[in-house]
Amino acid sequence: MPMLRCRSGLLSLLLLAASGPQVVEGDSVLEILGSLKSFRDAGVDSFKILASELKKHGQDEDAQKARKWSDDWLSVLGLNKGLTGLAKDFVMNYLGRGTYHDKNGALIDSIKRVAHSFPEAGEDFDEDSLDDVHYYLRKVCKEGKILFAEGGSLNQMLTELVDILETKGVSSVLSEAMKGSDVVKQAFGYFAGSPPRISKTAEL
């Protein structure tokens, strides 16, 4: 099943983390990287908007952190960083291994919940939907950090991402960074079912 194009800087990396059920044992770094490249330009644009909004709010250091994350993890080339580094880490250490596929349920579920937190097609984000998306994106990072080993590219990327998501003021500018949210929701919905309502306080 072909992956849907999206406009979220987060999505390409989340899809990589969740791609276990969608790829076969023989997939190579180059094959997975080919799928991720289609998201790169949109991802760079999203983080550019996020950095710009943070700068407008006088958060120059946080804006620089967002730009650096984009430069590090959305670059095409890189030994241990960029899309190549992320794909290599996934293929070499997780793809086809029971230690990943038997334990990735919480991560997959968190990604599904992001999709269900988006507003309906054609509607804008309101305070509740922004809070939900922000919460479940952080939940994805938390579950991914548990699943992916420290010292690896995926763990490092998620560690740096959750640091950005927990920056003061980020939740209020997410709506600008997630332009094209209808398309983003469709892509997250690739993995989505109908998750039950649960207590956020108990999860984090």
Side-chain angles (χ1 to χ4, degrees):
M1 182 182 296
M3 288 189 176
L4 299 173
R5 181 171 179 82
C6 73
R7 296 181 181 177
S8 168
L10 309 177
L11 184 56
S12 62
L13 304 172
L14 300 183
L15 289 182
L16 172 64
S19 61
Q22 307 298 330
V23 296
V24 297
E25 188 80 24
D27 281 354
S28 68
V29 172
L30 290 178
E31 287 170 328
I32 292 179
L33 182 59
S35 296
L36 294 179
K37 281 181 180 178
S38 64
F39 302 122
R40 180 186 179 277
D41 289 345
V44 170
D45 288 345
S46 293
F47 269 84
K48 185 181 295 184
I49 293 171
L50 178 61
S52 176
E53 290 297 314
L54 288 170
K55 188 174 179 64
K56 286 180 183 177
H57 286 74
Q59 297 175 244
D60 291 354
E61 184 176 341
D62 296 326
Q64 178 58 33
K65 188 186 301 182
R67 284 192 293 268
K68 185 178 185 301
W69 190 93
S70 177
D71 291 343
D72 284 347
W73 298 112
L74 296 180
S75 62
V76 175
L77 301 178
L79 182 60
N80 295 312
K81 289 190 175 183
L83 301 184
T84 303
L86 292 168
K88 183 180 73 172
D89 186 21
F90 183 72
V91 171
M92 297 293 290
N93 298 307
Y94 304 101
L95 180 62
R97 299 193 180 192
T99 51
Y100 168 74
H101 294 285
D102 295 343
K103 298 180 180 180
N104 65 2
L107 175 61
I108 302 299
D109 183 66
S110 296
I111 294 173
K112 291 177 181 180
R113 292 176 189 277
V114 175
H116 285 276
S117 299
F118 275 78
E120 295 299 322
E123 295 182 2
D124 294 328
F125 281 100
D126 58 21
E127 185 175 349
D128 287 340
S129 59
L130 275 176
D131 285 347
D132 285 348
V133 169
H134 186 217
Y135 169 80
Y136 285 118
L137 286 174
R138 289 183 292 130
K139 187 73 163 59
V140 166
C141 293
K142 174 189 173 183
E143 297 298 343
K145 287 175 62 180
I146 293 172
L147 191 60
F148 300 122
E150 289 186 18
S153 298
L154 287 162
N155 185 286
Q156 183 181 352
M157 177 274 293
L158 292 170
T159 297
E160 294 176 8
L161 178 56
V162 76
D163 186 46
I164 293 172
L165 291 173
E166 291 179 345
T167 297
K168 181 180 179 181
V170 162
S171 60
S172 65
V173 300
L174 274 180
S175 59
E176 287 300 317
M178 289 187 174
K179 293 295 186 181
S181 61
D182 291 346
V183 183
V184 176
K185 180 181 178 180
Q186 282 184 325
F188 275 109
Y190 179 71
F191 302 100
S194 299
R197 300 295 297 178
I198 55 178
S199 169
K200 295 179 182 178
T201 303
E203 283 190 314
L204 281 180

